Amino acid sequence: MKRHYRKKTFHVMLLLLLAFTTVLSACSGTGGTAGKPGEGGKVEIQLWSSATAENAKPIENAIAKFNESQDDIVVKTLSNQDHQKQLTAISGGSAPDIIVTQWNNIGPWSAAGAVQSLEEFIKRDGYDTSQIIPAALDRMKVNHEIFGLPISMSMANKLFYNKQAFEEAGLTAPPETLEELFAYAKKLTKKDAKGNITQMGFIPDYPWIDNVFWPIIFNGSWDDGSGKLTANQEANVKAIDYQMNYYREFGQESIDKFKSGMGGLETPQDPILTGKLSMIIGWENWYVEHRGEDKEVGVAPFPYPAANPELKGSGMVSPIAMFIPSKAKHQDEAWKVMQYLLGEDVQIEYSIEFGSIPVLTKALDNPKLTENQEVKELWDYYESAKNPNLKGFPNSIYINEYLQTLNEETEKALKGQITAQEAMDNVVNKMQPIADKK
């Protein structure tokens, strides 16, 4: 199932992009619906995607089938258009009609009038947004208004573990609670005669600091829906404090030294595959060829706080978005294409080819997926994608500044420079004035 591997870089870049601040030049304008004749008298529209190389093929194939399915519109696709190229086009007056990009671009770009609200299209056509996985659709909203639609989503709500390491430690089943996860981590950690860590059970911020996943596991949030930021609420503080337990137990310097000698994710020296690291947060598109009954990587639901069993199945959703630029010339045609891409058969084919999770709820139970051996490694994810405990970071015009600030303050806490409460108080103190202005 190598199709899953080609997607990993795309989603890793998405997660890294969440930490950067995007600056958007002011732009305005409203796209019309009149189109110029294309092939055979069809209206020709443009779709730009940030996907590259093999990652671009699923959207290109889906669009090719759309072009064959009707006689009114022909869509031309252009891949490898990163967020800066997209931004330049939509702010400079040469906007394509549809853009497929990282979901967190929608918030800042909508603030400058670069993204067309979909509310009128949805209302006019009676489009049923309830058919979309709520956690994925929520990422498309800015101030409760829908500015885009998800085309696919990635999800982290599993624990991956090295089966051999578990067997050697006498562990016969994965941990169910966070408390058990910590106990397992201690049992799975080894040191040499000099006290250097040679194997670790779990590192909460590997391969990166995740200031979204962990608060979700504790049922935290980042705003109250009306402009008040809630990063310093109890659940978020508990999420950071839980991670700090690992550094208190094993030592900051010892963990840092160990991490410096670990191999990279999904390289021949990958620590999960070599056994140097026993457990890791599991995204659906990682270790696909190494998961399964007879494979070296086991898969389990990610542990939940023992005091909150109602949080079973919690996890983070990160979708890929599609939107219509406000200066697009063919908005009605673009809207038709977006609806096509959310059709059940299209979503299923896209999911199989891209190795992602469909965002259409009814697709999750379709036998073309759930009985398809080719995507067997994703069956658990299709089922858990129905869980109401799935969440994501709220989209906003200041999302990138917010995430960057969370990252900076969380890192200070994990290093023991400040407490978890101080870190999250700092975030709110820094970000609330920015949220108030915007």
Short mmCIF file of all heavy atoms in Angstrom, two decimals, residues 46-48 86-87 90 96-103 105-106 109-110 114-116 118 140 147-150 321-326 328 334 338:
data_model
loop_
_atom_site.label_atom_id
_atom_site.label_comp_id
_atom_site.label_asym_id
_atom_site.label_seq_id
_atom_site.Cartn_x
_atom_site.Cartn_y
_atom_site.Cartn_z
N GLN A 46 -10.39 26.88 -13.59
CA GLN A 46 -9.08 26.47 -13.12
C GLN A 46 -9.15 25.98 -11.68
O GLN A 46 -9.78 26.60 -10.83
CB GLN A 46 -8.11 27.65 -13.19
CG GLN A 46 -7.91 28.23 -14.58
CD GLN A 46 -7.09 27.31 -15.47
OE1 GLN A 46 -6.17 26.64 -15.01
NE2 GLN A 46 -7.44 27.28 -16.76
N LEU A 47 -8.49 24.86 -11.40
CA LEU A 47 -8.34 24.35 -10.04
C LEU A 47 -6.85 24.24 -9.75
O LEU A 47 -6.11 23.58 -10.47
CB LEU A 47 -9.00 22.99 -9.88
CG LEU A 47 -8.94 22.35 -8.49
CD1 LEU A 47 -10.16 21.45 -8.25
CD2 LEU A 47 -7.66 21.51 -8.26
N TRP A 48 -6.43 24.92 -8.68
CA TRP A 48 -5.03 24.85 -8.24
C TRP A 48 -4.94 24.01 -6.97
O TRP A 48 -5.75 24.17 -6.06
CB TRP A 48 -4.49 26.24 -7.96
CG TRP A 48 -4.17 27.05 -9.18
CD1 TRP A 48 -4.58 26.82 -10.46
CD2 TRP A 48 -3.37 28.24 -9.22
NE1 TRP A 48 -4.10 27.78 -11.30
CE2 TRP A 48 -3.36 28.67 -10.57
CE3 TRP A 48 -2.69 28.98 -8.25
CZ2 TRP A 48 -2.67 29.81 -10.97
CZ3 TRP A 48 -2.01 30.11 -8.65
CH2 TRP A 48 -1.99 30.52 -9.99
N GLN A 86 -0.42 30.47 -4.37
CA GLN A 86 -1.87 30.65 -4.32
C GLN A 86 -2.23 32.05 -3.84
O GLN A 86 -3.09 32.73 -4.41
CB GLN A 86 -2.48 29.60 -3.38
CG GLN A 86 -2.34 28.17 -3.88
CD GLN A 86 -2.75 27.16 -2.83
OE1 GLN A 86 -3.00 27.49 -1.67
NE2 GLN A 86 -2.83 25.90 -3.23
N LEU A 87 -1.53 32.48 -2.80
CA LEU A 87 -1.78 33.80 -2.23
C LEU A 87 -1.50 34.91 -3.23
O LEU A 87 -2.28 35.86 -3.37
CB LEU A 87 -0.91 33.98 -0.99
CG LEU A 87 -0.94 35.34 -0.29
CD1 LEU A 87 -2.35 35.69 0.12
CD2 LEU A 87 -0.01 35.33 0.91
N ILE A 90 -4.43 34.97 -5.85
CA ILE A 90 -5.74 35.45 -5.42
C ILE A 90 -5.71 36.90 -4.98
O ILE A 90 -6.74 37.58 -5.00
CB ILE A 90 -6.34 34.56 -4.31
CG1 ILE A 90 -5.48 34.59 -3.04
CG2 ILE A 90 -6.53 33.15 -4.80
CD1 ILE A 90 -6.04 33.75 -1.91
N PRO A 96 -7.44 31.52 -9.54
CA PRO A 96 -8.13 30.35 -10.11
C PRO A 96 -9.54 30.29 -9.54
O PRO A 96 -9.90 31.07 -8.66
CB PRO A 96 -7.26 29.18 -9.65
CG PRO A 96 -6.62 29.67 -8.39
CD PRO A 96 -6.39 31.14 -8.60
N ASP A 97 -10.31 29.31 -9.98
CA ASP A 97 -11.71 29.22 -9.54
C ASP A 97 -11.88 28.35 -8.30
O ASP A 97 -12.83 28.53 -7.54
CB ASP A 97 -12.57 28.69 -10.69
CG ASP A 97 -12.48 29.60 -11.90
OD1 ASP A 97 -13.07 30.70 -11.86
OD2 ASP A 97 -11.80 29.22 -12.88
N ILE A 98 -10.98 27.41 -8.12
CA ILE A 98 -10.98 26.56 -6.93
C ILE A 98 -9.54 26.40 -6.47
O ILE A 98 -8.63 26.23 -7.29
CB ILE A 98 -11.57 25.16 -7.20
CG1 ILE A 98 -12.97 25.24 -7.78
CG2 ILE A 98 -11.58 24.32 -5.92
CD1 ILE A 98 -13.53 23.88 -8.17
N ILE A 99 -9.35 26.44 -5.17
CA ILE A 99 -8.03 26.17 -4.60
C ILE A 99 -8.14 25.04 -3.59
O ILE A 99 -9.04 25.03 -2.75
CB ILE A 99 -7.44 27.43 -3.94
CG1 ILE A 99 -6.98 28.43 -5.03
CG2 ILE A 99 -6.28 27.08 -3.02
CD1 ILE A 99 -6.35 29.69 -4.48
N VAL A 100 -7.23 24.08 -3.68
CA VAL A 100 -7.12 22.99 -2.71
C VAL A 100 -5.84 23.24 -1.92
O VAL A 100 -4.75 23.32 -2.50
CB VAL A 100 -7.07 21.62 -3.40
CG1 VAL A 100 -6.90 20.50 -2.37
CG2 VAL A 100 -8.34 21.39 -4.22
N THR A 101 -5.97 23.38 -0.60
CA THR A 101 -4.84 23.84 0.19
C THR A 101 -4.97 23.38 1.64
O THR A 101 -5.93 22.70 2.02
CB THR A 101 -4.75 25.38 0.11
OG1 THR A 101 -3.53 25.82 0.70
CG2 THR A 101 -5.92 26.03 0.84
N GLN A 102 -4.01 23.78 2.47
CA GLN A 102 -4.09 23.51 3.90
C GLN A 102 -5.25 24.30 4.51
O GLN A 102 -5.46 25.47 4.21
CB GLN A 102 -2.78 23.92 4.59
CG GLN A 102 -1.60 23.04 4.26
CD GLN A 102 -0.96 23.37 2.91
OE1 GLN A 102 -1.19 24.44 2.37
NE2 GLN A 102 -0.17 22.46 2.38
N TRP A 103 -5.97 23.64 5.39
CA TRP A 103 -7.20 24.25 5.92
C TRP A 103 -6.94 25.53 6.69
O TRP A 103 -7.78 26.43 6.72
CB TRP A 103 -7.95 23.24 6.80
CG TRP A 103 -7.24 22.89 8.07
CD1 TRP A 103 -6.34 21.88 8.25
CD2 TRP A 103 -7.35 23.55 9.34
NE1 TRP A 103 -5.90 21.87 9.56
CE2 TRP A 103 -6.50 22.88 10.25
CE3 TRP A 103 -8.10 24.63 9.79
CZ2 TRP A 103 -6.37 23.26 11.57
CZ3 TRP A 103 -7.97 25.02 11.12
CH2 TRP A 103 -7.12 24.34 11.99
N ASN A 105 -5.14 27.95 6.02
CA ASN A 105 -5.00 29.16 5.20
C ASN A 105 -6.31 29.93 5.09
O ASN A 105 -6.32 31.14 4.86
CB ASN A 105 -4.52 28.80 3.80
CG ASN A 105 -3.05 28.40 3.77
OD1 ASN A 105 -2.27 28.84 4.59
ND2 ASN A 105 -2.69 27.56 2.82
N ILE A 106 -7.42 29.22 5.23
CA ILE A 106 -8.73 29.84 5.00
C ILE A 106 -9.00 30.99 5.96
O ILE A 106 -9.52 32.04 5.56
CB ILE A 106 -9.84 28.78 5.08
CG1 ILE A 106 -9.77 27.86 3.86
CG2 ILE A 106 -11.21 29.44 5.17
CD1 ILE A 106 -10.82 26.78 3.85
N TRP A 109 -6.81 34.19 5.15
CA TRP A 109 -7.12 34.69 3.82
C TRP A 109 -8.54 35.25 3.74
O TRP A 109 -8.80 36.19 2.99
CB TRP A 109 -6.91 33.60 2.78
CG TRP A 109 -5.48 33.18 2.64
CD1 TRP A 109 -4.41 33.66 3.34
CD2 TRP A 109 -4.95 32.19 1.75
NE1 TRP A 109 -3.25 33.03 2.95
CE2 TRP A 109 -3.54 32.12 1.97
CE3 TRP A 109 -5.52 31.35 0.80
CZ2 TRP A 109 -2.71 31.25 1.27
CZ3 TRP A 109 -4.69 30.48 0.09
CH2 TRP A 109 -3.30 30.44 0.33
N SER A 110 -9.44 34.66 4.50
CA SER A 110 -10.82 35.17 4.49
C SER A 110 -10.89 36.56 5.08
O SER A 110 -11.75 37.37 4.71
CB SER A 110 -11.74 34.23 5.26
OG SER A 110 -11.45 34.25 6.65
N ALA A 114 -10.31 37.41 0.56
CA ALA A 114 -9.79 36.60 -0.53
C ALA A 114 -10.55 35.30 -0.74
O ALA A 114 -10.40 34.66 -1.77
CB ALA A 114 -8.32 36.28 -0.27
N VAL A 115 -11.37 34.91 0.24
CA VAL A 115 -12.09 33.64 0.18
C VAL A 115 -13.59 33.91 0.16
O VAL A 115 -14.11 34.66 1.00
CB VAL A 115 -11.73 32.73 1.38
CG1 VAL A 115 -12.42 31.39 1.26
CG2 VAL A 115 -10.22 32.56 1.48
N GLN A 116 -14.27 33.32 -0.78
CA GLN A 116 -15.71 33.52 -0.91
C GLN A 116 -16.47 32.70 0.12
O GLN A 116 -16.25 31.49 0.25
CB GLN A 116 -16.18 33.13 -2.32
CG GLN A 116 -17.64 33.36 -2.60
CD GLN A 116 -18.01 34.83 -2.58
OE1 GLN A 116 -17.22 35.67 -3.01
NE2 GLN A 116 -19.18 35.15 -2.09
N LEU A 118 -19.34 30.43 1.48
CA LEU A 118 -20.19 29.46 0.79
C LEU A 118 -21.62 29.45 1.31
O LEU A 118 -22.45 28.67 0.84
CB LEU A 118 -19.60 28.05 0.93
CG LEU A 118 -18.20 27.84 0.34
CD1 LEU A 118 -17.77 26.38 0.53
CD2 LEU A 118 -18.15 28.22 -1.13
N MET A 140 -13.52 24.39 8.52
CA MET A 140 -13.81 25.26 7.37
C MET A 140 -14.52 26.55 7.77
O MET A 140 -14.79 27.41 6.93
CB MET A 140 -14.69 24.53 6.35
CG MET A 140 -14.19 23.17 5.90
SD MET A 140 -12.66 23.24 4.95
CE MET A 140 -11.53 22.47 6.13
N PHE A 147 -16.47 28.85 4.87
CA PHE A 147 -15.72 29.45 3.77
C PHE A 147 -15.09 28.41 2.84
O PHE A 147 -14.52 28.76 1.81
CB PHE A 147 -14.61 30.36 4.31
CG PHE A 147 -15.10 31.71 4.74
CD1 PHE A 147 -15.56 31.92 6.03
CD2 PHE A 147 -15.11 32.77 3.85
CE1 PHE A 147 -16.02 33.17 6.44
CE2 PHE A 147 -15.56 34.02 4.24
CZ PHE A 147 -16.02 34.22 5.54
N GLY A 148 -15.18 27.15 3.19
CA GLY A 148 -14.62 26.10 2.36
C GLY A 148 -15.24 24.77 2.71
O GLY A 148 -16.08 24.67 3.62
N LEU A 149 -14.86 23.73 1.99
CA LEU A 149 -15.31 22.38 2.28
C LEU A 149 -14.08 21.46 2.31
O LEU A 149 -13.14 21.66 1.55
CB LEU A 149 -16.29 21.89 1.22
CG LEU A 149 -17.65 22.59 1.16
CD1 LEU A 149 -18.47 22.06 0.00
CD2 LEU A 149 -18.43 22.43 2.47
N PRO A 150 -14.09 20.47 3.17
CA PRO A 150 -12.97 19.52 3.20
C PRO A 150 -13.08 18.54 2.05
O PRO A 150 -14.19 18.14 1.68
CB PRO A 150 -13.13 18.83 4.56
CG PRO A 150 -14.62 18.86 4.79
CD PRO A 150 -15.11 20.16 4.19
N ALA A 321 -8.48 21.36 2.57
CA ALA A 321 -9.63 22.20 2.24
C ALA A 321 -9.67 22.56 0.76
O ALA A 321 -8.65 22.59 0.08
CB ALA A 321 -9.58 23.49 3.07
N MET A 322 -10.87 22.84 0.29
CA MET A 322 -11.05 23.44 -1.04
C MET A 322 -11.96 24.65 -0.88
O MET A 322 -12.92 24.61 -0.12
CB MET A 322 -11.61 22.43 -2.03
CG MET A 322 -12.84 21.68 -1.60
SD MET A 322 -13.34 20.45 -2.85
CE MET A 322 -14.66 19.60 -1.96
N PHE A 323 -11.62 25.72 -1.57
CA PHE A 323 -12.43 26.93 -1.45
C PHE A 323 -12.45 27.69 -2.77
O PHE A 323 -11.66 27.40 -3.69
CB PHE A 323 -11.93 27.83 -0.32
CG PHE A 323 -10.62 28.52 -0.58
CD1 PHE A 323 -10.56 29.74 -1.24
CD2 PHE A 323 -9.43 27.97 -0.13
CE1 PHE A 323 -9.36 30.38 -1.48
CE2 PHE A 323 -8.21 28.61 -0.35
CZ PHE A 323 -8.18 29.83 -1.04
N ILE A 324 -13.35 28.63 -2.84
CA ILE A 324 -13.50 29.47 -4.03
C ILE A 324 -12.94 30.86 -3.71
O ILE A 324 -13.44 31.53 -2.80
CB ILE A 324 -14.98 29.59 -4.44
CG1 ILE A 324 -15.57 28.21 -4.72
CG2 ILE A 324 -15.12 30.50 -5.67
CD1 ILE A 324 -17.07 28.22 -4.95
N PRO A 325 -11.93 31.32 -4.42
CA PRO A 325 -11.43 32.69 -4.20
C PRO A 325 -12.53 33.71 -4.51
O PRO A 325 -13.33 33.52 -5.42
CB PRO A 325 -10.27 32.81 -5.18
CG PRO A 325 -9.82 31.40 -5.41
CD PRO A 325 -11.09 30.59 -5.37
N SER A 326 -12.56 34.79 -3.75
CA SER A 326 -13.61 35.79 -3.96
C SER A 326 -13.51 36.46 -5.32
O SER A 326 -14.49 37.00 -5.82
CB SER A 326 -13.54 36.85 -2.85
OG SER A 326 -12.27 37.45 -2.82
N ALA A 328 -12.68 34.79 -8.06
CA ALA A 328 -12.86 33.77 -9.09
C ALA A 328 -13.96 34.20 -10.06
O ALA A 328 -15.00 34.73 -9.65
CB ALA A 328 -13.21 32.44 -8.45
N ALA A 334 -17.52 26.49 -10.12
CA ALA A 334 -16.63 25.99 -9.08
C ALA A 334 -17.42 25.28 -7.99
O ALA A 334 -17.02 24.22 -7.49
CB ALA A 334 -15.82 27.13 -8.49
N MET A 338 -17.07 21.38 -6.57
CA MET A 338 -16.85 21.05 -5.17
C MET A 338 -17.88 20.04 -4.68
O MET A 338 -17.54 19.10 -3.94
CB MET A 338 -16.89 22.32 -4.32
CG MET A 338 -15.69 23.22 -4.55
SD MET A 338 -15.81 24.83 -3.74
CE MET A 338 -15.74 24.35 -2.02
#
